[in-house]
């Protein structure tokens, strides 16, 4: 059965920044676009997430060497029975391009297939879906159609990875609620959060070798976003504590500082002036509760970077980033980052299943994922350039589940297996992964999905919660 024809992306004009011009028809179109994106995303809760991609298992050599994988025509596969064990996975929809290489290998009948799509949405572009909302109010069908479009066509962007639609697609897939600019500014204007000193120790070195990021995103913007996130997480933690155990912060940290306090801080030293300019309002009391868990961990600066790069405002980046942290991977920033360590253990387990030879070789060199894959797990591979490829990989992860990042890391290891096996010191190669190739990583990761047992996949789905 052939996939329905999908409308090509319209050419989207670059954003025009007009700060003092009167309202125009474009303004109203933008407002409608934001409203329809909210209707498609935050207003609807998906109660039945799509099932797992049914793919024929491929051994690593087939994944890497079979030239037929580069020219496979779009096909679809029959539905299978759904596994009752998996509840939150979004990685279950049949992709337009199935990697069917060895039909003799039986499919795992516990994995299910394609969720219902909307025929009307199938004939609409992603940009039109965002602008007009789900046709006939069919939210679930429109979401499934959008997932397939992202996997098959991708999100249209320029060579720098810039797209006027990407951030809205991410907000929809993350089911992020609307955050008003006033709410975001309220967090910014509270001044330095308990984690402020940690944030300032990290922001200046965020993607320092990426000229695209440095040209578009300022350190001040990154500081504001992370500080606002830290305040929000701090408030949530305080609300969960018994009243008797809540910590009281100085007045200058809990509310907006007075004008005299701001002036005193700005005049105290050049460093204080720099911090005040970067954060708009700040204080010197940045060490209060700096070790409080669940507000900021090292590496969140890199995880936040693609959101600021893709978003058209800091408030949009805040909404998407906060939703990712609190809904998809809260275990990555909680306590001793237990979710990250569970993810690293799963990288080792999955690699041992899909490529025992490479796994044994790395083990013989005393190389576990804890040594070389920690940044890739924590940042969803955002630590590996180039940034435009990171954005394309994130399109896939947000559409089908950020937990699939574990398989994407294993896919990168398989893609460099020959170099690793030929190296007497593979750690030199693993210190810095090769440049991301999003399309090849996605294809390899989707092939790996069917090579792992159901119980391992269930752990992957839940590891970051």
């Amino acid at each position: 059965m052939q996939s329905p024809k999908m409308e090509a992306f319209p050419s989207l004009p670059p954003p025009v920044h007009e700060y003092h011009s009167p309202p125009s028809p474009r303004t109203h179109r933008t407002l409608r676009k934001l409203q329809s994106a909210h209707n498609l995303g935050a207003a609807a809760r998906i109660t039945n997430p799509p099932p797992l991609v049914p793919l024929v298992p491929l051994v690593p050599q087939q994944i890497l060497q079979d030239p037929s994988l580069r020219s496979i025509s779009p096909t679809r596969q029959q539905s299978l029975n759904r596994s009752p064990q998996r509840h939150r996975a979004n990685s279950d929809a049949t992709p337009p391009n199935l990697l069917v290489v060895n039909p003799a290998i039986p499919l795992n009948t516990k994995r299910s297939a394609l969720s219902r799509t909307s025929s009307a949405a199938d004939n609409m572009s992603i940009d039109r879906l965002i602008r007009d909302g789900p046709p006939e109010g069919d939210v679930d069908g429109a979401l499934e159609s959008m997932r397939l479009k992202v996997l098959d066509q991708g999100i249209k962007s320029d060579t720098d990875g810039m797209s006027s639609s990407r951030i809205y697609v991410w907000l929809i897939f993350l089911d992020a609620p609307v955050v008003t600019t006033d709410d975001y500014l309220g967090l910014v204007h509270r001044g330095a959060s308990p984690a402020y000193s940690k944030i300032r120790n990290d922001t200046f070195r965020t993607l320092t070798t990426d000229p695209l990021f440095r040209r578009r995103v300022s350190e001040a913007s990154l500081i504001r976003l992370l500080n606002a996130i830290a305040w929000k997480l701090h408030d949530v933690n305080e609300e969960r504590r018994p009243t008797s155990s809540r910590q009281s912060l100085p007045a200058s940290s809990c509310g907006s500082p007075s004008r005299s306090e701001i002036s005193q801080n700005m005049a105290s030293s050049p460093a204080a002036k720099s911090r005040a300019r970067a954060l708009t309002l700040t204080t010197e009391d940045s060490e209060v509760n700096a070790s409080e868990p669940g507000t900021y961990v090292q590496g969140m600066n890199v995880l936040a970077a693609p959101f600021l790069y893709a978003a058209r405002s800091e408030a949009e980046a805040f909404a998407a980033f906060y939703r990712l942290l609190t809904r998809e991977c809260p275990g990555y920033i909680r306590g001793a980052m237990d979710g990250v360590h569970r993810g690293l253990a799963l990288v080792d387990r999955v690699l041992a299943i899909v490529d025992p030879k490479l796994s044994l070789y790395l083990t013989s060199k005393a190389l576990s994922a804890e040594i070389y894959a920690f940044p890739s797990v924590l940042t969803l591979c955002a630590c590996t350039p180039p940034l435009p490829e990171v954005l394309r990989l994130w399109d896939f992860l947000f559409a089908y589940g950020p937990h699939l990042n574990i398989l994407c890391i294993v896919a990168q290891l398989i893609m460099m297996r020959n170099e690793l096996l030929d190296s007497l010191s593979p750690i030199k190669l693993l210190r810095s992964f090769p440049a991301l190739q999003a399309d090849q990583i996605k294809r390899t990761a989707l092939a790996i999905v069917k090579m792992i047992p159901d119980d391992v996949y269930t752990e992957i789905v839940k590891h970051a919660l």
Side-chain angles (χ1 to χ4, degrees):
M1 177 179 179
Q2 294 183 348
S3 300
K5 294 183 180 180
M6 299 182 182
E7 180 181 339
F9 283 104
S11 58
L12 301 177
V16 178
H17 301 284
E18 298 178 352
Y19 298 99
H20 301 288
S21 59
S24 66
R26 174 171 297 182
T27 302
H28 298 299
R29 286 197 300 271
T30 302
L31 292 175
R32 290 199 304 271
K33 187 174 184 179
L34 288 170
Q35 182 62 41
S36 61
H38 175 54
N39 293 337
L40 182 58
R45 297 292 183 265
I46 301 174
T47 57
N48 295 315
L52 179 65
V53 182
L55 299 175
V56 173
L58 302 178
V59 297
Q61 291 81 358
Q62 288 175 312
I63 296 173
L64 294 173
Q65 299 173 5
D66 196 318
S68 64
L69 297 182
R70 300 181 181 178
S71 58
I72 298 176
S73 59
T75 58
R76 291 190 179 177
Q77 206 170 43
Q78 295 294 331
S79 298
L80 303 174
N81 296 327
R82 182 168 184 174
S83 169
Q85 298 178 347
R86 297 180 6 261
H87 302 287
R88 294 187 64 259
N90 281 339
S91 58
D92 300 275
T94 304
N97 297 314
L98 294 179
L99 309 182
V100 181
V101 175
N102 188 356
I105 301 178
L107 290 173
N108 185 339
T109 56
K110 292 186 178 181
R111 302 287 173 87
S112 61
L114 185 65
S115 296
R116 179 182 59 83
T117 62
S118 168
S119 58
D122 286 343
N123 294 317
M124 297 170 63
S125 67
I126 292 178
D127 187 66
R128 186 180 170 192
L129 274 173
I130 295 173
R131 183 182 68 242
D132 299 340
E136 302 175 356
D138 185 2
V139 176
D140 290 347
L143 283 170
E144 187 60 34
S145 296
M146 184 177 287
R147 288 190 182 97
L148 290 173
K149 290 177 185 294
V150 167
L151 187 62
D152 184 28
Q153 304 170 359
I155 297 175
K156 187 174 181 179
S157 58
D158 60 23
T159 56
D160 291 344
M162 298 308 304
S163 167
S164 60
S165 300
R166 173 170 276 123
I167 186 60
Y168 302 117
V169 175
W170 288 3
L171 288 167
I172 290 168
F173 285 150
L174 291 170
D175 198 16
V178 172
V179 175
T180 67
T181 302
D182 287 341
D183 290 340
Y184 174 71
L185 290 177
L187 293 169
V188 172
H189 287 183
R190 288 173 66 176
S193 70
Y196 180 68
S197 62
K198 289 184 177 181
I199 292 170
R200 287 308 307 271
N201 287 335
D202 289 342
T203 53
F204 73 92
R205 53 192 174 199
T206 303
L207 304 185
T208 54
T209 60
D210 195 313
L212 295 177
F213 177 78
R214 306 302 292 183
R215 184 168 66 241
R216 178 173 174 82
V217 181
S218 67
E219 183 185 0
S221 178
L222 186 59
I223 292 170
R224 286 192 296 267
L225 174 63
L226 292 172
N227 195 71
I229 289 288
W231 268 127
K232 185 70 172 179
L233 294 173
H234 172 270
D235 292 346
V236 172
N237 289 338
E238 287 296 300
E239 290 175 1
R240 292 175 179 173
R241 294 181 182 180
T243 305
S244 58
S245 64
R246 293 181 184 178
Q247 298 179 359
S248 59
L249 297 179
S252 60
S253 295
C254 291
S256 299
S258 64
R259 183 174 299 179
S260 60
E261 288 175 324
I262 299 172
S263 301
Q264 182 179 0
N265 288 328
M266 293 184 65
S268 60
S269 67
K273 290 183 179 180
S274 175
R275 282 194 292 271
R277 285 195 302 269
L279 194 55
T280 305
L281 297 174
T282 188
T283 72
E284 293 296 321
D285 300 320
S286 59
E287 295 297 332
V288 179
N289 295 338
S291 61
E292 181 177 357
T295 58
Y296 181 81
V297 296
Q298 188 175 19
M300 278 175 59
N301 56 313
V302 178
L303 190 59
F307 287 108
L308 282 172
Y309 186 83
R312 306 180 75 176
S313 72
E314 289 181 22
E316 290 175 344
F318 174 88
F321 186 36
Y322 180 75
R323 190 67 166 178
L324 174 72
L325 294 177
T326 56
R327 179 178 178 177
E328 299 294 344
C329 52
Y332 283 10
I333 61 170
R334 184 174 55 238
M337 306 170 71
D338 293 337
V340 178
H341 294 289
R342 287 193 295 268
L344 292 167
L346 285 166
V347 170
D348 288 329
R349 289 181 63 186
V350 173
L351 182 61
I353 293 170
V354 302
D355 195 338
K357 181 178 180 180
L358 178 58
S359 175
L360 289 173
Y361 182 70
L362 294 180
T363 301
S364 70
K365 299 293 185 179
L367 292 177
S368 66
E370 288 274 357
I371 297 175
Y372 60 82
F374 191 97
S376 296
V377 172
L378 175 61
T379 67
L380 303 182
C381 293
C383 58
T384 306
L387 188 53
E389 292 295 303
V390 173
L391 302 180
R392 295 176 65 187
L393 185 62
W394 277 27
D395 296 340
F396 166 69
L397 292 179
F398 293 157
Y400 291 96
H403 58 271
L404 289 180
N405 180 53
I406 301 300
L407 303 186
C408 291
I409 295 171
V410 176
Q412 292 176 76
L413 295 173
I414 292 175
M415 289 164 57
M416 56 189 301
R417 74 184 304 269
N418 291 336
E419 291 81 359
L420 291 171
L421 292 173
D422 291 341
S423 175
L424 296 178
S425 181
I427 186 59
K428 294 180 179 179
L429 299 173
L430 294 173
R431 285 196 186 107
S432 179
F433 278 27
L436 282 183
Q437 302 176 50
D439 288 340
Q440 188 173 356
I441 291 173
K442 288 186 293 185
R443 292 169 61 235
T444 307
L446 288 173
I448 292 173
V449 167
K450 281 303 301 176
M451 301 175 68
I452 57 179
D454 284 349
D455 60 335
V456 175
Y457 184 81
T458 300
E459 291 186 42
I460 292 174
V461 172
K462 297 179 178 180
H463 81 277
L465 301 180

